[in-house]
Amino acid sequence: MDKETLGIIQILVIDILATVILSGIALKKPYLCKFNFYILLGINFLLLLNAPEWNEGSGSSSYYYIAFLQPASDFLALFMVLSAFLLAIPIILYFMFLYGLAKLSCYKPSTDLQEKHKG
C-alpha cells in the first residue's frame, strides 16, 4: 500500500473514531458540537506536531514522536504544503469535513419520526 494512501486511511480512522467517542459526550449536552470540532482540529494539529523536522523535499521527517502515525503525519504536512499552493481550498474543504463530523456527533434522531413508526 502506498504511503499517502495509508496516511489518508489513518487520518480518516482517527477522525471518525474521535467523532464516535465524542458523540457520547455531545448527546448529553448539545452545545458541545463546536467543542467537538475544536477537539478534531486539535487532534490534527497534534498529528502535524508528530513530525517536528518535516522536509518538503523528501516528504518525511527525520524523527517521529509516535512512529506508528508516520504516514498520517507525513500526509497531513504534505496536504498543508499542497494547500498553500492551491489558495487554501483543500484545507478549507478539510475543515468543512471536520465540522461536518462534529455536527454529526451531535445529531439526535427526532422522536416525532420514531413515534409515527410505532403507531
Side-chain angles (χ1 to χ4, degrees):
M1 187 178 298
D2 193 17
K3 187 172 96 168
E4 286 82 15
T5 307
L6 185 60
I8 292 171
I9 291 171
Q10 278 185 341
I11 288 174
L12 288 176
V13 166
I14 289 169
D15 289 339
I16 291 172
L17 186 64
T19 302
V20 167
I21 292 171
L22 291 171
S23 68
I25 299 168
L27 287 178
K28 296 175 185 171
K29 300 188 189 252
Y31 59 87
L32 291 176
C33 292
K34 287 185 182 179
F35 179 73
N36 290 352
F37 175 66
Y38 295 136
I39 292 290
L40 288 173
L41 283 179
I43 289 170
N44 285 286
F45 184 69
L46 288 175
L47 280 174
L48 279 175
L49 292 179
N50 187 37
E53 300 173 359
W54 193 79
N55 185 0
E56 293 87 6
S58 65
S60 63
S61 178
S62 60
Y63 175 75
Y64 297 93
Y65 294 111
I66 303 172
F68 174 72
L69 297 174
Q70 174 186 355
S73 298
D74 285 343
F75 178 76
L76 203 52
L78 181 66
F79 189 71
M80 295 294 286
V81 170
L82 180 69
S83 182
F85 290 106
L86 295 174
L87 302 173
I89 293 172
I91 200 71
I92 291 170
L93 292 174
Y94 185 63
F95 284 171
M96 289 172 60
F97 169 72
L98 290 179
Y99 187 72
L101 279 179
K103 291 298 266 187
L104 187 65
S105 71
C106 296
Y107 175 74
K108 187 185 285 187
S110 148
T111 57
D112 296 338
L113 292 176
Q114 292 175 355
E115 290 175 4
K116 284 182 183 178
H117 290 294
K118 288 182 183 176

